Amino acid sequence: MFPALCGALLILAFKPSAFANEKFQYEIKEFSVPLDHFSFLSNESFNIRYLCNDSYVDKSNLEPPIFFYTGNEGDIEWFAQNSGFVWELAAKQRALVVFAEHRYYGKSMPYGADTFNTSKPEHLAYFTVEQTLEDYAQLITYLRNGKRLPVVAFGGSYGGMLAAWFRMKYPHIVVGALAASAPILQFSGLTPCDIFNKITTSVFATAYNANCSVNIGKSWKAFESMAATDAGKKQLGDIFHVCNAIKNADDLKNFMDYLEEVYGNLAMANYPYNSTFLSPLPANPVRQLCFYLKDLHQNDTDLVASMASALAVYTNYTGSTKCLDYNDSNAGANYDSKGWDIQSCNQMVMPMCANSSDTMFRTSNWDFKEVSDKCYKQFHITPKAYDIVLRYGGRDLEAASNIIFSNGLLDPWSGGGVLSAPNNQIHVIILPEGAHHLDLRQSNPLDPASVTSARQKEAEIIAQWISHF
Amino acid sequence: MFPALCGALLILAFKPSAFANEKFQYEIKEFSVPLDHFSFLSNESFNIRYLCNDSYVDKSNLEPPIFFYTGNEGDIEWFAQNSGFVWELAAKQRALVVFAEHRYYGKSMPYGADTFNTSKPEHLAYFTVEQTLEDYAQLITYLRNGKRLPVVAFGGSYGGMLAAWFRMKYPHIVVGALAASAPILQFSGLTPCDIFNKITTSVFATAYNANCSVNIGKSWKAFESMAATDAGKKQLGDIFHVCNAIKNADDLKNFMDYLEEVYGNLAMANYPYNSTFLSPLPANPVRQLCFYLKDLHQNDTDLVASMASALAVYTNYTGSTKCLDYNDSNAGANYDSKGWDIQSCNQMVMPMCANSSDTMFRTSNWDFKEVSDKCYKQFHITPKAYDIVLRYGGRDLEAASNIIFSNGLLDPWSGGGVLSAPNNQIHVIILPEGAHHLDLRQSNPLDPASVTSARQKEAEIIAQWISHF
């Protein structure tokens, strides 16, 4: 009898899943981890979920590779469905596929439904990068079952950061890591805080014609002018079909914050084909949006009306959205903003700012004190802005090895990515036509050539890691 | 004005010190560290001590090297005085010298005099390798003061393990590490548990003549025979000048445990010149002891009498010891056994055993369950026997770089050391005539040639790290 590669001890059986009809199939399992790996204060533990599929494995191979996705800020099933490259490559290289869910996301909650109870500081205390990497190290050690198996870490975005850091800190556990669109340099003192918004602006300025970013840049004043009167506020709300009327300055600010969030999300998910990654979107959504903004408008009402048509590309591509909920700080995206809000308040302090003179965004400064005060008020957490740099080295990556950093130049996060290799064991792959971790997605006939060749190169490097193991 | 290299903020001034008359001089300072680096549960902090000397630094060099000793299980002043090579090399390479005290040792107590209060589990909870390395990373970051300075980690024994692990996990903070006599492989599943006692036996068998280890091997039965009667117990105690009479089986066991501890300590401190490292000892102390055991004895009384004479080499070299305190589990050595007992009960679970058929020791098995139960009873701590291997990779060191592992073949800890290099960026230096981290000690006319040449090679490698930085 062949031993159960997906782990025999803690099987949760086949749960009916919200993603059950999706293309990639897996068993859903659970694995017990200590709540706190780094002290001897308590022996509490809880279960994290992982998805596992051993169908690609050559059963005569006693040391099959494991492709291990280091889960990030959301339900792990969402990442499994949006990381098709992992599955395609696993099929080719006959690997065991594992997607591990990040603690405090999806169904991997240390305190169940009460996890985010901010009146209990101990509930949020162990929501850190280091605890999470340790969860993954223990899960892999369990899956290896005493055997020497080559494990490759995969991740996109924050998951890519985790994959890279995992290889840096646990090179004996993972032979290498594909860190797709991983902005590990988007931290204090490493990268200018306006880079994200500059890249986003550039994407919008070049997607259709330059009027797109000019119109967006002018829209903020148009919104403010229109909202100067109560009638104007109502008109603005009506044009955008908002769910909650814009009644005051706070509402207007939330509305504009929402739009800025949308532009960032659009640039990230600016894929060459329809997708449902952050929200249901057409192919080349920025171009689609910019089509509605191709003409410069002389009066505010025309501009605002065009903006509303343009925005619907993001907010109502399906045509089924009843109204625009601008109070959703997540701008309708699929990831778990609750968890991420907490991580941005403990370790993942990634400074953001913008200048209206060289971007389409409103001017905003990075004020750590303000951020810190807000974090304390909201979660009773004081951010440690330098934790990540202290532990993972910032730009000083000379000692790292076997990591592929891939970045799409259309991706606003590429500004905080690793774009030049510190040594010849680190591979930097640039996708000029790529949005946020496009290379990690399932291959598609509409993929640009640079993405196809990037995946090929990634596959070669990963095959080398495995064969050298 | 030249900025204070030793750190300006938290100066503790020049404290009168027990070691004030010793050869190496330094300022004694303190640095505040979080009690728990890895959770957001509390904001508590406490001070660790460090010793600092900037007198060797070329003040015109704006980026001087830092030689950073990663303190281990004892008062840091003790290590500073017993690691002369660091000082000698700092003088040559014009480095800032820093000796950092390990949390929970010396005067670096998180809860002051109440630190080891075992009825308060939170007091001992943060006494881990990872918390300690993070202390050192923060201290170095503070000392660097924003500058890019080459930092070399030094350490002997457990301090050497910390130095090696520090380089592995924080390569952006230390350019390299000299790990002298660092038994990083003395953990479950990596190294046979009897290796320490086998090497010790071999040292005793070859120091003068082979009768030495034979006599010691026979002594256990002789003690037991003699102690079979009350009169015999008294006789045994009298011969050894014990402080507390041997009255029962427990006392006899403690007495024999003590002797085994002494043999290990003697092998470690078997230096070619007088030393006061573990206790005041003559040059080549094992040879001195074995001189008293050069003849095989036919009867128990003669053997026991010879043993007592032999043991005095360790227990009363100064001639001022009033009696032998066999209840001192530390066998009179200078290190802090209280702290180490706790570390052996949380992470530093280093299996030990012996077989009387091939060593001079009594047969003893490694029984983790027994150890674990004892730890829980004593400290309310359940050991995590696999923490260290999971985190630092055991024998899988392929991805590590810039570490010198030096081991003396006369050192019983060399059995758990790294004796072959996993890659060409790891340097293995073997000292055939070296005891426990002899190379880290101040140079001495009586040093064997292998030690002098080892230090030279170490100096060259370290100079290369600094110049390549």
Side-chain angles (χ1 to χ4, degrees), chain A residues 207-224:
Chain A
Y208 192 89
N209 70 24
N211 291 340
C212 184
S213 55
V214 174
N215 277 321
I216 295 172
K218 289 165 75 181
S219 70
W220 313 114
K221 279 213 168 136
F223 297 143
E224 281 167 359

Side-chain angles (χ1 to χ4, degrees), chain B residues 135-321:
Chain B
D135 292 342
Y136 297 161
Q138 293 202 358
L139 173 55
I140 290 172
T141 301
Y142 161 69
L143 291 170
R144 274 174 152 183
N145 195 20
K147 283 179 291 193
R148 212 177 121 74
L149 307 178
V151 183
V152 179
F154 291 80
S157 194
Y158 169 52
M161 300 162 81
L162 292 172
W165 293 333
F166 198 33
R167 167 63 192 173
M168 290 182 204
K169 297 292 181 188
Y170 298 85
H172 50 289
I173 290 181
V174 284
V175 70
L178 171 56
S181 298
I184 64 166
L185 305 178
Q186 191 73 47
F187 290 92
S188 304
L190 299 179
T191 296
C193 56
D194 63 352
I195 191 99
F196 183 100
N197 288 320
K198 273 185 172 166
I199 296 173
T200 304
T201 299
S202 158
V203 167
F204 279 74
T206 56
Y208 192 89
N209 70 24
N211 290 341
C212 185
S213 55
V214 174
N215 277 320
I216 294 172
K218 290 165 75 182
S219 70
W220 313 113
K221 279 211 168 138
F223 297 142
E224 280 167 359
S225 300
M226 188 176 279
T229 64
D230 285 351
K233 285 192 189 77
K234 180 162 186 324
Q235 184 186 6
L236 182 61
D238 288 347
I239 294 173
F240 277 90
H241 301 289
V242 296
C243 304
N244 298 97
I246 296 168
K247 289 182 182 162
N248 53 41
D250 278 353
D251 291 342
L252 181 66
K253 182 181 176 304
N254 288 347
F255 171 73
M256 293 195 290
D257 288 350
Y258 172 90
L259 292 188
E260 290 196 336
E261 190 83 20
V262 165
Y263 300 139
N265 286 354
L266 271 165
M268 281 192 255
N270 191 24
Y271 301 130
Y273 46 79
N274 288 12
S275 73
T276 57
F277 176 52
L278 292 178
S279 69
L281 288 177
N284 300 306
V286 177
R287 188 176 164 81
Q288 295 271 347
L289 177 143
C290 285
F291 174 77
Y292 292 99
L293 300 174
K294 63 183 187 300
D295 302 316
L296 283 183
H297 293 283
Q298 293 313 313
N299 74 63
D300 288 351
T301 317
D302 288 352
L303 174 58
V304 169
S306 299
M307 293 295 304
S309 308
L311 252 294
V313 169
Y314 181 93
T315 55
N316 195 15
Y317 174 55
T318 59
S320 61
T321 309

Side-chain angles (χ1 to χ4, degrees), chain A residues 37-41 122 125-126 131 134 138 141 148 169 171-173 346 382 384 390-391 393 396 399, chain B residues 37-41 122 125-126 131 134 138 141 148 169 171-173 346 382 384 390-391 393 396 399:
Chain A
H37 293 281
F38 299 104
S39 87
F40 283 77
L41 192 58
E122 71 275 19
Y126 307 102
Q131 303 280 1
E134 197 57 29
Q138 291 203 358
T141 301
R148 213 177 121 73
K169 297 291 182 189
H172 50 289
I173 290 181
N346 59 36
T382 303
K384 294 184 181 172
L390 182 83
R391 282 178 196 151
D396 191 350
Chain B
H37 293 280
F38 299 104
S39 87
F40 283 77
L41 191 59
E122 72 275 19
Y126 307 103
Q131 303 280 0
E134 210 30 50
Q138 293 202 358
T141 301
R148 212 177 121 74
K169 297 292 181 188
H172 50 289
I173 290 181
N346 58 37
T382 303
K384 295 183 180 172
L390 183 84
R391 280 176 199 152
D396 192 348

Side-chain angles (χ1 to χ4, degrees), chain B residues 358-413:
Chain B
D358 58 6
T359 71
M360 64 188 200
F361 294 93
R362 294 166 295 164
T363 291
S364 62
N365 298 312
W366 173 253
D367 182 339
F368 177 66
K369 171 91 175 52
E370 191 184 301
V371 169
S372 180
D373 290 348
K374 195 177 156 194
C375 289
Y376 191 80
K377 199 175 154 196
Q378 209 174 350
F379 305 117
H380 305 293
I381 290 172
T382 303
K384 295 183 180 172
Y386 292 93
D387 248 27
I388 294 290
V389 177
L390 183 84
R391 280 176 199 152
Y392 303 100
R395 291 190 176 272
D396 192 348
L397 302 170
E398 277 95 35
S401 64
N402 291 13
I403 304 172
I404 303 169
F405 289 104
S406 65
N407 277 288
L409 295 186
L410 298 182
D411 176 15
W413 288 111

Side-chain angles (χ1 to χ4, degrees), chain A residues 247-325:
Chain A
K247 289 181 179 161
N248 52 42
D250 277 352
D251 291 343
L252 181 66
K253 182 181 176 302
N254 289 346
F255 171 73
M256 294 195 291
D257 288 350
Y258 172 89
L259 292 188
E260 290 196 336
E261 190 82 21
V262 165
Y263 300 138
N265 285 353
L266 271 164
M268 280 191 258
N270 192 24
Y271 301 130
Y273 47 80
N274 290 12
S275 73
T276 56
F277 176 51
L278 292 178
S279 70
L281 287 177
N284 301 306
V286 177
R287 188 177 165 82
Q288 296 270 349
L289 178 144
C290 285
F291 174 79
Y292 292 99
L293 299 174
K294 65 183 186 297
D295 302 316
L296 282 184
H297 294 282
Q298 292 313 314
N299 73 62
D300 287 351
T301 317
D302 287 354
L303 174 58
V304 170
S306 298
M307 292 295 304
S309 307
L311 252 295
V313 168
Y314 181 92
T315 56
N316 195 14
Y317 174 58
T318 58
S320 61
T321 310
K322 295 216 173 76
C323 57
L324 186 153
D325 179 12

